[in-house]
Amino acid sequence: MNTFPGAIRNAVLDTGPLMSALVANFLDRMPGITADCSSYGDWQFHPPLLSRDGQQQLLGLLAGLRDRKTIAHVMAEISALLDSKLKLRGPYPQLFWQWSIDLLTQWNLDERLIRLVAPPPSDRSLKLMVETGLTDFSVTN
Amino acid sequence: MQRRSTSTVSDANVGPNIVRAWFDTVINPLLGFLEQEVSWLAQENWTWRFKPPALELICPVRRYLDREAYPNLEQFQQLQPSFARLAGQHDQLVEKLTQAAQRLHEKIGGDPDLRSEISVAISLAGFKNLGVSSVTEIFGAYPASEHVNLVAQYLVNHLGDLPAHYATSTLWNAKRHQFMKVLERPGVRELDIQAKRAAAQLAAASKELIELLKEIRLTLSLKHDVPPSSAGSLTGGVRIQ
């Protein structure tokens, strides 16, 4: 199932890739969509996800990971993006979540609480923390 | 098929603004969804989901629409009794198919042979055939109590191969032809046929509703000089760019 065997095994999924994967999964399950969908509502995929093939490769890559984790604020950001970008109507907001929950259950995605790190042990860490922000720094350390 | 009169719409009270609103919020979205519905039914995929139990993509008419459109739907139903009658009939048949799918799912889920086949497939011996090392690689975070129900759901929907990014595709794509034999067993077969009959009735009702909606749309469009579709209008409740 891993499209890139031997490459990435474990990943902490941030909002961009996870949202892209959930939208790709949604489009995959939506009836009547057969052509490439580079955008949906106000949601715009970024290269190389502009084509259906690219979106399928992202899903394949994430499905092939041994261990996937995310954190609560990512799911909160995805909820906000769903409202502001996808602008789903009728029964589709509910379906988006049903299909997303099914996919995330299949992927055994674990949501973790993070421990905000103690003061960075080095100047290099401190610089990285400033560049990436406290949340992402804490997740990756 | 007998032609229905659409003259029940009062000329005195209905103008182009109301017609535009009906087209954009009721008629056009409904046509999109009903055509999808007919397509699912033709594929014998009832879009059944066991948790919570429902048909995912086959709904009563009202549920296809945005909440903001409900007043327009109610007005349309009041002024178009032929639509109200057919929509009511459609919704009853959706309920009939839902119940038929649920009975079939319960029967399959309780089938001891299927349970046994799945148990073997996800045993240590089965892992080797499937190329996995743990049950989590097949069912992800679905608890053991739901494994059979998930496979039963796929059987109720007569699913073909699943996309590879679904963990369950490892099991389903390899074993689905074997699992499908459950649908031929006495007791299960009858319920599968009942569901197919309910689906055929629903498909006929949906097609009749589509025809009526198109007829009404044409009549109103010509009478009030309102195009059936406005730029940027919604099709099937979805805006695709």
Side-chain angles (χ1 to χ4, degrees):
Chain A
M1 211 157 38
N2 194 337
T3 315
F4 306 101
I8 307 169
R9 290 291 183 195
N10 310 309
V12 180
L13 300 179
D14 206 349
T15 309
L18 190 54
M19 181 70 179
S20 296
L22 295 182
V23 176
N25 177 58
F26 176 71
L27 295 177
D28 195 49
R29 292 185 68 158
M30 269 270 286
I33 295 185
T34 50
D36 287 345
C37 238
S38 61
S39 64
Y40 190 94
D42 290 338
W43 171 261
Q44 176 72 49
F45 284 106
H46 296 289
L49 305 177
L50 301 179
S51 68
R52 200 178 188 87
D53 279 351
Q55 292 159 20
Q56 292 293 318
Q57 283 188 32
L58 172 69
L59 290 169
L61 171 68
L62 298 184
L65 295 172
R66 189 173 50 202
D67 190 21
R68 312 159 200 84
K69 288 184 173 54
T70 191
I71 51 179
H73 91 273
V74 166
M75 300 314 293
E77 283 179 356
I78 285 175
S79 294
L81 283 171
L82 186 66
D83 290 338
S84 65
K85 296 286 186 184
L86 260 66
K87 301 181 192 301
L88 298 174
R89 305 177 71 92
Y92 284 112
Q94 192 179 326
L95 284 171
F96 179 90
W97 281 116
Q98 280 169 4
W99 293 343
S100 295
I101 289 167
D102 182 28
L103 183 69
L104 299 181
T105 307
Q106 299 242 3
W107 284 358
N108 199 20
L109 184 77
D110 213 357
E111 186 186 88
R112 290 284 173 88
L113 290 174
I114 58 168
R115 182 174 63 86
L116 292 181
V117 290
S122 67
D123 286 348
R124 190 163 170 269
S125 298
L126 183 60
K127 188 165 177 279
L128 189 62
M129 189 183 83
V130 171
E131 284 171 358
T132 60
L134 188 57
T135 306
D136 286 354
F137 179 78
S138 301
V139 168
T140 52
N141 282 272
Chain B
M1 189 177 292
Q2 192 180 352
R3 301 287 288 181
R4 289 164 296 267
S5 167
T6 56
S7 62
T8 49
V9 177
S10 164
D11 286 339
N13 298 326
V14 176
N17 288 332
I18 289 177
V19 170
R20 180 77 274 149
W22 283 353
F23 285 179
D24 289 348
T25 65
V26 177
I27 297 178
N28 289 342
L30 272 184
L31 280 170
F33 281 116
L34 289 169
E35 281 164 2
Q36 284 173 11
E37 189 177 292
V38 170
S39 169
W40 287 117
L41 294 170
Q43 296 170 50
E44 298 189 339
N45 183 343
W46 321 139
T47 72
W48 167 255
R49 184 194 60 229
F50 75 95
K51 192 180 174 184
L55 307 182
E56 276 189 339
L57 290 163
I58 297 173
C59 314
V61 162
R62 195 179 177 88
R63 272 196 44 212
Y64 280 135
L65 301 177
D66 283 333
R67 195 168 286 276
E68 296 78 20
Y70 288 176
N72 292 350
L73 173 67
E74 284 158 16
Q75 183 191 50
F76 187 63
Q77 283 176 316
Q78 281 173 344
L79 296 176
Q80 284 288 349
S82 54
F83 167 77
R85 185 181 59 77
L86 281 189
Q89 183 186 325
H90 167 274
D91 292 354
Q92 283 177 5
L93 290 168
V94 169
E95 179 58 28
K96 187 177 177 182
L97 177 59
T98 305
Q99 289 177 8
Q102 184 157 19
R103 282 195 297 272
L104 177 60
H105 183 265
E106 285 168 1
K107 184 73 178 174
I108 295 172
D111 187 287
D113 291 339
L114 179 65
R115 284 183 176 277
S116 167
E117 283 171 25
I118 292 173
S119 295
V120 170
I122 62 174
S123 65
L124 281 175
F127 287 166
K128 193 177 175 187
N129 293 331
L130 295 173
V132 298
S133 57
S134 75
V135 73
T136 307
E137 288 181 52
I138 301 172
F139 285 106
Y142 277 103
S145 59
E146 291 179 355
H147 293 172
V148 174
N149 281 329
L150 200 56
V151 173
Q153 174 181 303
Y154 297 160
L155 288 168
V156 168
N157 292 332
H158 309 97
L159 275 195
D161 279 353
L162 285 168
H165 59 265
Y166 276 83
T168 42
S169 67
T170 309
L171 173 68
W172 177 252
N173 294 355
K175 301 281 183 184
R176 73 181 172 90
H177 292 295
Q178 179 188 329
F179 293 156
M180 283 285 187
K181 290 176 185 163
V182 171
L183 294 173
E184 295 301 319
R185 291 192 189 134
V188 177
R189 186 166 178 269
E190 291 74 12
L191 292 176
D192 188 36
I193 289 170
Q194 279 179 23
K196 285 176 179 170
R197 283 190 187 134
Q201 289 176 320
L202 175 59
S206 301
K207 285 175 188 168
E208 200 177 349
L209 197 51
I210 289 169
E211 190 187 330
L212 175 68
L213 284 169
K214 286 183 174 173
E215 206 173 290
I216 293 172
R217 186 172 65 177
L218 179 63
T219 304
L220 291 171
S221 174
L222 296 178
K223 187 176 283 184
H224 297 280
D225 190 24
V226 177
S229 173
S230 60
S233 75
L234 300 170
T235 302
V238 179
R239 193 189 302 274
I240 298 169
Q241 295 175 330

